[in-house]
Amino acid sequence: MLYDYILIWNPERKKDVMLNRDEDFLETFSTIENHLSTLQRTEKSCKELTWGSPDYAGSDDAAVVKVEMHVRASFGHRNPCLYIIRKYVNFLNSKQGTFNLAMAGPHSVVDASYDECDEETMWHLSLSTPVLAALLIMGVGTFPRAITPFICLGGSIQASRCVIVLIKMLWEDLNMVGPDTQIVFVQLALSFDYALFFWVRFSQERLDSRLSGTDGNTNEGVGGIESSVMKTLQTSGFVILLSTMVLIVAFLGASCYPDLNKLGYLYATLNLALGTFFVGFYSLSVPTVLILILPSIFDEQKSAGFS
């Protein structure tokens, strides 16, 4: 059964009153009990929630409250009720200064580790984004083009996570113990590589069509762009597609090793395969659609020699 603990402590509190008679502690515990009762009535996932009386430490400076969700325990599955309780305990800890509060069970530690990894990943991505965008502009030519790999990255992260959730719903024993931080950075690298492949080739095709005079004298836009996009998809698009397929086969092959699910590595290899698939899909579709619907923004700029 799934259970966890709410730890309440204050090592600097005065020792003249026992903890079980301390008014501040009793008020804190009453606040927690009232909130748990509210969750029990209002949250569907917390209907089976129960909790016990505080167990006091021998040093009389801490107490722990056991809460039980009465569902099957699994470290690879985030229980909605436990997640809500952990968020509330963190909120209450930041609002009241007499006692410290924290979830102390193993499931809460795993959940907190997931959140910390996600927050650090987003922080590192936010710091590196301007530098990466500047480097990409040097390769693809314009700022709007440099935005496309970030669109592909955002779409692929959300899509791969959604599919993993669906797999988890169908196969509850899937062990999702590890964070997907490293997978996000793999998707980031692939998004930038594929964007560079696509835009450099597209620029070359547009310049070649203008030099050869096949772009048209009276209608400079749609026909020439469509031809250049098609040639780009047949060349760099084929390379992106082939690279995606090779990586997917490699990651799926790595998923066939025995006992990977026990260690949580099966989740990582499946997520890598899904992430690679969606990065390849978006890297082919997003730039193509943007060029065709917004040619004035994403088309190759005319130089003075072509005016």
Side-chain angles (χ1 to χ4, degrees):
M1 302 298 290
L2 178 61
Y3 62 89
D4 218 288
Y5 298 94
I6 301 176
L7 179 63
I8 311 170
W9 80 99
N10 184 359
E12 298 181 356
R13 129 187 133 78
K14 296 180 179 180
K15 303 293 185 178
D16 54 342
V17 179
M18 296 181 65
L19 189 61
N20 60 357
R21 297 181 181 178
D22 188 297
E23 292 184 0
D24 291 331
F25 172 81
L26 295 177
E27 181 180 354
T28 301
F29 178 66
S30 176
T31 302
I32 295 173
E33 271 199 313
N34 290 336
H35 187 74
L36 294 179
S37 298
T38 302
L39 293 178
Q40 198 179 46
R41 295 191 307 270
T42 59
E43 294 291 336
K44 182 179 179 180
S45 60
C46 295
K47 285 186 177 180
E48 302 297 326
L49 175 66
T50 60
W51 60 94
S53 301
D55 290 329
Y56 299 95
S59 56
D60 202 38
D61 58 1
V64 64
V65 180
K66 184 178 181 180
V67 293
E68 297 190 32
M69 269 56 69
H70 295 281
V71 295
R72 190 164 67 107
S74 172
F75 284 117
H77 177 70
R78 171 172 282 183
N79 181 269
C81 183
L82 179 59
Y83 180 76
I84 295 172
I85 295 173
R86 187 170 64 83
K87 288 297 183 183
Y88 173 74
V89 169
N90 291 339
F91 168 78
L92 188 60
N93 180 61
S94 64
K95 291 301 181 181
Q96 76 107 11
T98 305
F99 283 88
N100 301 316
L101 296 96
M103 298 294 289
H107 295 275
S108 294
V109 172
V110 172
D111 280 355
S113 177
Y114 285 169
D115 290 344
E116 185 67 21
C117 286
D118 286 340
E119 291 177 3
E120 287 189 5
T121 300
M122 295 307 300
W123 171 244
H124 293 158
L125 285 175
S126 64
L127 291 178
S128 59
T129 294
V131 178
L132 294 174
L135 292 175
L136 193 61
I137 290 174
M138 298 172 61
V140 303
T142 64
F143 180 75
R145 292 180 181 179
I147 296 298
T148 58
F150 294 102
I151 299 176
C152 297
L153 175 65
S156 63
I157 290 174
Q158 297 303 320
S160 60
R161 287 179 174 178
C162 287
V163 176
I164 284 291
V165 170
L166 293 177
I167 295 174
K168 178 67 177 178
M169 292 174 63
L170 297 174
W171 182 30
E172 293 186 359
D173 291 332
L174 177 63
N175 186 359
M176 298 172 61
V177 69
D180 59 356
T181 307
Q182 75 281 10
I183 300 170
V184 171
F185 281 100
V186 170
Q187 291 175 285
L188 174 65
L190 291 175
S191 297
F192 272 75
D193 279 346
Y194 293 165
L196 194 61
F197 294 161
F198 186 95
W199 289 116
V200 169
R201 184 68 188 191
F202 176 76
S203 296
Q204 187 62 49
E205 292 295 338
R206 291 296 284 155
L207 292 175
D208 290 345
S209 65
R210 288 169 180 169
L211 286 172
S212 62
T214 59
D215 202 29
N217 295 323
T218 59
N219 186 5
E220 184 73 23
V222 176
I225 289 178
E226 289 181 350
S227 177
S228 297
V229 169
M230 182 59 67
K231 291 180 180 179
T232 300
L233 291 174
Q234 291 172 341
T235 52
S236 291
F238 175 75
V239 174
I240 293 172
L241 182 62
L242 183 61
S243 172
T244 300
M245 293 177 62
V246 170
L247 289 173
I248 290 174
V249 171
F251 291 137
L252 290 179
S255 302
C256 296
Y257 283 94
D259 297 328
L260 288 184
N261 192 45
K262 294 180 180 179
L263 303 174
Y265 292 143
L266 180 60
Y267 157 71
T269 54
L270 289 177
N271 206 351
L272 281 169
L274 291 170
T276 301
F277 169 79
F278 285 112
V279 166
F281 172 77
Y282 285 118
S283 296
L284 290 173
S285 58
V286 169
T288 300
V289 171
L290 290 177
I291 293 171
L292 296 178
I293 65 176
L294 298 171
S296 60
I297 298 176
F298 292 94
D299 190 13
E300 186 70 17
Q301 299 298 316
K302 296 180 183 179
S303 62
F306 296 110
S307 60

